[in-house]
Amino acid sequence: MREKILSMIENNARIDLKDLAVMLGISEAEVANEIADMEKEKIICGYHTLINWDSTSEEKVTALIEVQVTPQRGLGFDKIAERMYNYDEVRAVYLMSGGFDFTVIIEEKTMKEVAQFVTERLAPLEAIRGTATHFILKKYKDHGTVLVKNNKDERMLVTP
């Protein structure tokens, strides 16, 4: 039951509880109670609106930063992650496998602000061994949602 509710609200957090109850074949109160329980248990951690900032006049730069670290004895990766995710600019922090340890995603107004964040705040952290910053140039799909319009070629075919 929980997995069905989670799948449905993950795709549409604004779905009406009444509609959700009908689709699941249970009462609206049961759905509401189950969601409230999952919020208390931190299974549901928040509700977000996905915005295509490229379609607005707001200037935003999104950067993906690969971070290599040296874990501190007895603390591991968690304390390093905590220091990084507590910065307001940081949208996400992921522990990774492979050639680097963390992926940090940030949003700023300009590339210069991203560079300042990396050089003045992130790179100087004690455990950081190195960083590589990648700027996201265009988002085609984000969180399962296609953000680009499918521009159909409307030109008339002319043959000789």
Side-chain angles (χ1 to χ4, degrees), residues 26-82:
I26 60 175
S27 74
E28 192 174 336
E30 287 176 286
V31 171
N33 290 336
E34 197 63 42
I35 289 174
D37 289 346
M38 288 188 285
E39 289 171 346
K40 284 181 202 154
E41 295 170 34
K42 296 292 184 197
I43 293 170
I44 298 174
C45 300
Y47 300 89
H48 302 278
T49 303
L50 179 61
I51 299 170
N52 184 358
W53 288 105
D54 291 343
S55 296
T56 71
S57 60
E58 182 75 19
E59 291 293 321
K60 283 191 182 264
V61 175
T62 304
L64 183 149
I65 306 162
E66 298 173 355
V67 181
Q68 292 178 315
V69 301
T70 302
Q72 297 165 322
R73 183 169 294 207
L75 300 176
F77 291 106
D78 293 345
K79 280 293 180 192
I80 301 166
E82 182 180 0

Side-chain angles (χ1 to χ4, degrees), residues 1 5 17-32 34:
M1 174 67 66
I5 292 173
L17 291 181
K18 187 182 216 176
D19 294 339
L20 195 52
V22 168
M23 289 189 282
L24 295 169
I26 60 175
S27 74
E28 192 174 336
E30 287 176 286
V31 171
E34 197 63 42

Side-chain angles (χ1 to χ4, degrees), residues 111-125:
M111 288 184 178
K112 183 177 181 179
E113 287 177 330
V114 170
Q116 284 177 317
F117 172 79
V118 173
T119 59
E120 295 172 10
R121 299 178 84 192
L122 186 62
L125 292 176

